[in-house]
Amino acid sequence: MQISGHPRVEIVVPAKNEENDLGPNIRRLREFLDTAFPFPAEVCIADSGSTDATYEVGTLLAAELPGVRIVRLEQPGRGRALKQAWSESTAEVLAYMDVDLSTNLNALLPLVAPLFAGHSDIAIGTRLSNGSRVVRRPMREFISRSYNLLLRATLSVHFSDAQCGFKAVRADVARELLPLIQDTSWFFDTELLVLAEKAGLRIHEVPVDWIDDLDSRVAIAKTVGEDLRGIARLTRDLGRGRTDLSPVRWAYGRPRILDPRTALAARVLRFCAIGVLSTAAYALLYLVLRQGMPAQVANLLALLITAVGNTALNRRITFGVTGVENRWRHQLRGLVTFGIGWSLTASSLWLLHTAVASPHQAVEVAVLTIANLAATVVRFSLFQAWVFNDDAPTLPTFEPPAVLDQTRSN
């Protein structure tokens, strides 16, 4: 029994060359919505570039079944189909599912209920939680888990399953996000979720029962290549501030609530990990440069090169500062902290060469490494309190003498 007067949900079913499966599965979906789903719901078949009779079958279904419509796109692409169908919809909640109905339809109500209630902004089915029941081939399981681990490592996301073909989004949120999504194919889902999470939106996850479609026509190798290129593009765009998420963040974002002690501990761990990487890079650079130049010069150049990289990594990873705004100011302040590190290491080298006429290079590296570690605490304190704190005072400025004289005369 459906709840009258309640906001509607529209379920988009992307289809390309599905003339055989489209009819039975759309009828099955429509029957479920009419008999077992409590909210008013419509179905939109999005035919994206089919070369068989998919559009004709879909047109007959739309004429036969109330609450079914069809849109036709000449170009293929699941993302393109979803973007157009969702943009044209007048429903309050927009969903989509794969045409094979691999996901058990009983998960549809838990998927959309948090969106109707306003608790969440996006909802996704997940095949990778403990509560999920999944039957699929080992290779697909391996690829799916590897892909989601890669997303976490490269884009620092927290949702568990980017690719499950069972998602829903509030229409008002979709209107803000859809213009920002560039991909028109399989990476569309991932880009939607990454942008939503980066904007501070709440993503609700529903464990699903899911059975692999043995007749799936997804070209795995091609899709993997497209996904890897999409990850690289998205990482680059977000890192350079090319995607402006501030309107979405201000309208719908929910800031994360962190225990200050936990946040500080996590920040220290990230800073230390980058410090270890920078120290190793510094030692390697020093050994290479030392082959053709004096110790002090090699030390200065190795420190300068690693300082720039260290500041950039800490800016992005440790302190979560993205975009190009104030980037050069942060690098300039980072060079001031570099000066502290350089003074410590230069003094250590001077003391070593004063005590030992011709120390072994291994001893030089050991002394310099200890000096670098000694500067780490000071560097972290400056990074947190000053380098990446745009509210901190800038370097002192001085007025020209003429201005000072005029000020005194006034």
Side-chain angles (χ1 to χ4, degrees):
M1 178 179 177
Q2 293 186 350
I3 303 174
S4 60
H6 201 281
R8 296 172 298 122
V9 57
E10 181 168 64
I11 302 163
V12 178
V13 181
K16 180 185 177 183
N17 296 336
E18 297 287 354
E19 60 182 2
N20 294 324
D21 293 338
L22 187 63
N25 289 339
I26 293 298
R27 287 189 175 88
R28 176 184 159 201
L29 173 60
R30 189 65 261 178
E31 181 182 4
F32 172 84
L33 296 174
D34 293 336
T35 61
F37 190 67
F39 299 117
E42 298 160 0
V43 177
C44 174
I45 303 167
D47 176 20
S48 56
S50 293
T51 55
D52 63 0
T54 295
Y55 181 70
E56 288 74 14
V57 173
T59 301
L60 292 175
L61 290 168
E64 172 190 346
L65 302 174
V68 175
R69 71 183 179 101
I70 184 168
V71 296
R72 166 74 174 175
L73 292 87
E74 296 300 329
Q75 294 179 293
R78 181 174 70 173
R80 181 178 286 107
L82 287 174
K83 200 168 188 177
Q84 177 167 325
W86 279 354
S87 298
E88 295 174 352
S89 178
T90 59
E92 287 77 14
V93 169
L94 310 171
Y96 96 86
M97 61 181 63
D98 292 334
V99 69
D100 55 28
L101 303 186
S102 295
T103 304
N104 190 300
L105 293 175
N106 289 327
L108 184 59
L109 179 57
L111 185 80
V112 301
L115 306 185
F116 280 129
H119 171 272
S120 299
D121 306 298
I122 294 178
I124 65 173
T126 176
R127 300 160 296 184
L128 303 180
S129 74
N130 293 331
S132 303
R133 299 293 180 265
V134 176
V135 178
R136 63 173 163 176
R137 288 161 284 182
M139 179 55 70
R140 288 209 161 197
E141 180 77 8
F142 173 77
I143 292 174
S144 179
R145 290 188 179 275
S146 299
Y147 178 71
N148 285 282
L149 284 174
L150 180 62
L151 283 177
R152 293 190 175 206
T154 55
L155 289 162
S156 302
V157 297
H158 298 86
F159 50 82
S160 64
D161 191 351
Q163 295 175 310
C164 182
F166 195 71
K167 295 181 173 68
V169 58
R170 292 207 330 261
D172 55 339
V173 173
R175 282 191 289 270
E176 299 291 335
L177 285 175
L178 289 179
L180 303 176
I181 301 174
Q182 297 182 35
D183 191 81
T184 59
S185 189
W186 296 98
F187 190 70
F188 176 91
D189 297 51
T190 300
E191 190 165 0
L192 170 71
L193 295 179
V194 170
L195 295 182
E197 184 172 292
K198 297 301 181 184
L201 305 189
R202 178 172 288 162
I203 300 174
H204 176 70
E205 298 198 2
V206 178
V208 297
D209 298 338
W210 195 88
I211 299 176
D212 194 7
D213 178 19
L214 298 179
D215 190 37
S216 174
R217 298 169 193 149
V218 177
I220 295 179
K222 180 182 177 183
T223 302
V224 169
E226 290 177 354
D227 287 342
L228 291 177
R229 287 191 294 271
I231 291 173
R233 172 182 57 79
L234 203 51
T235 302
R236 181 176 62 252
D237 289 350
L238 291 173
R240 296 177 179 178
R242 292 177 177 174
T243 304
D244 184 12
L245 293 171
S246 53
V248 187
R249 184 178 293 111
W250 282 108
Y252 302 103
R254 296 173 172 87
R256 282 191 287 173
I257 302 174
L258 297 176
D259 184 331
R261 295 166 298 179
T262 304
L264 178 61
R267 179 171 287 182
V268 169
L269 286 174
R270 292 193 293 269
F271 177 81
C272 289
I274 293 172
V276 170
L277 180 63
S278 299
T279 301
Y282 162 80
L284 180 61
L285 274 172
Y286 177 82
L287 286 174
V288 172
L289 296 172
R290 187 67 175 88
Q291 303 304 313
M293 57 186 65
Q296 290 284 12
V297 178
N299 171 56
L300 178 64
L301 288 177
L303 268 179
L304 181 60
I305 294 170
T306 53
V308 173
N310 181 282
T311 300
L313 287 174
N314 275 300
R315 182 179 188 267
R316 174 68 181 86
I317 297 174
T318 304
F319 295 91
V321 181
T322 59
V324 297
E325 186 178 1
N326 294 328
R327 182 174 62 185
W328 299 114
R329 176 192 292 179
H330 297 158
Q331 280 291 352
L332 180 60
R333 292 177 174 181
L335 288 177
V336 174
T337 67
F338 151 77
I340 296 174
W342 174 78
S343 63
L344 285 172
T345 54
S347 300
S348 301
L349 267 181
W350 179 79
L351 289 173
L352 175 63
H353 282 266
T354 300
V356 182
S358 299
H360 194 275
Q361 286 188 9
V363 177
E364 287 182 346
V365 171
V367 170
L368 291 171
T369 300
I370 293 172
N372 266 320
L373 293 175
T376 298
V377 174
V378 176
R379 191 181 303 121
F380 177 81
S381 300
L382 286 173
F383 274 6
Q384 180 156 271
W386 180 57
V387 174
F388 302 114
N389 181 6
D390 293 322
D391 294 327
T394 57
L395 294 172
T397 57
F398 300 93
E399 295 179 284
V403 177
L404 291 174
D405 292 343
Q406 183 180 3
T407 302
R408 292 192 191 98
S409 65
N410 292 336

